[in-house]
Amino acid sequence: MSHPLDRAVWNALTTRLSGFVTGDSDARAVRIDPEVGVFVSGADSSPETLAAMADLARRHPGAGMVEHADGPLGEAELPGVAIVNRVPLVQMACTALTPGGSDLAYETLTEADAPEMLALAILTKPGPFRSRTRELGPFIGVRRDGRLVAMAGRRMRVDGFTELSGVCTHPDHRGKGYAAGLSRAVVGEIHASGEGAFLHAFAEHDATIAFYRSLGFEVRAPMTYTIFR
């Protein structure tokens, strides 16, 4: 687990996103602010670390853990904390977009857009999205007739990589290239900053994986999303 993306959540929350962890996180375990996200992670699989993670999960309900399927915490259980589900994911990375472009008109979303962003995420379920997830951005979006109908943004940041996340389109506006255009815009900005882009997708969603492959992403690792009660 030496690559920065092998333990993306831990590496992000202990470095570039450390300002988003709860005030009671410690050196062994970290929990992102529940209004920002769901992620909890730990330094290793020692009993002390698992106990610290369990404490954070109990005090801040709704926690989830994304870990390399073959890593030290991929199949970990937290003492006294029930597991709702383990969901297989794939982690994908992109260092160069495939040829293609878009003249899609979009805007940078702000705090004023927060209610619409949350509503769109709740409707379309692109992954964990909370009332302040937008602060991990920036996020960009497309409006039609004054309504936010599509968006995409950033989430985890580790050494040399930034995650594309929150890509979603209202069901009434799918098939118009919004997801591709917004994704290309976000990834293009990530690459322009000198970093690689990565993302997580549900392993069973073949169409989603194929879509991201069409943009230049390739699967680099199997991951497990563990949801705690």
Side-chain angles (χ1 to χ4, degrees):
M1 300 294 107
S2 59
H3 193 283
L5 294 182
D6 288 339
R7 304 208 59 220
V9 174
W10 171 256
N11 290 331
L13 295 185
T14 55
T15 57
R16 297 172 67 185
L17 296 186
S18 61
F20 290 98
V21 302
T22 61
D24 52 9
S25 295
D26 62 27
R28 287 189 178 277
V30 289
R31 167 70 157 97
I32 197 168
D33 186 315
E35 294 184 3
V36 177
V38 303
F39 299 118
V40 63
S41 190
D44 49 43
S45 57
S46 68
E48 294 80 8
T49 293
L50 296 180
M53 292 175 63
D55 182 58
L56 287 173
R58 283 192 294 268
R59 284 189 284 134
H60 304 285
M65 181 174 66
V66 174
E67 291 285 341
H68 195 295
D70 300 322
L73 291 174
E75 297 294 326
E77 297 186 9
L78 306 186
V81 179
I83 293 175
V84 177
N85 199 7
R86 289 195 194 273
V87 184
L89 306 177
V90 291
Q91 185 184 81
M92 306 183 73
C94 174
T95 56
L97 286 165
T98 55
S102 172
D103 57 358
L104 178 66
Y106 60 85
E107 62 186 67
T108 300
L109 302 176
T110 68
E111 184 176 355
D113 301 303
E116 282 190 280
M117 295 172 70
L118 183 60
L120 182 61
I122 291 173
L123 174 67
T124 58
K125 298 178 174 58
F129 199 96
R130 299 295 180 263
S131 61
R132 292 176 50 215
T133 299
R134 59 180 175 76
E135 296 179 16
L136 297 173
F139 279 77
I140 57 176
V142 173
R143 289 189 175 278
R144 291 294 178 262
D145 299 322
R147 295 178 55 209
L148 181 67
V149 299
M151 68 177 181
R154 300 160 173 81
R155 187 171 59 183
M156 293 291 118
R157 290 175 170 83
V158 301
D159 184 22
F161 295 88
T162 292
E163 183 184 22
L164 171 67
S165 184
V167 181
C168 56
T169 304
H170 190 286
D172 293 343
H173 293 269
R174 288 174 181 163
K176 300 177 181 180
Y178 296 161
L182 292 174
S183 295
R184 284 186 176 276
V186 172
V187 173
E189 291 180 359
I190 292 171
H191 288 170
S193 74
E195 296 190 333
F198 74 105
L199 59 83
H200 294 95
F202 294 110
E204 296 179 353
H205 289 190
D206 293 338
T208 300
I209 295 171
F211 165 73
Y212 286 117
R213 284 187 187 277
S214 74
L215 300 181
F217 283 85
E218 291 296 337
V219 174
R220 72 165 299 272
M223 309 295 282
T224 299
Y225 176 32
T226 303
I227 304 170
F228 299 109
R229 189 179 304 282

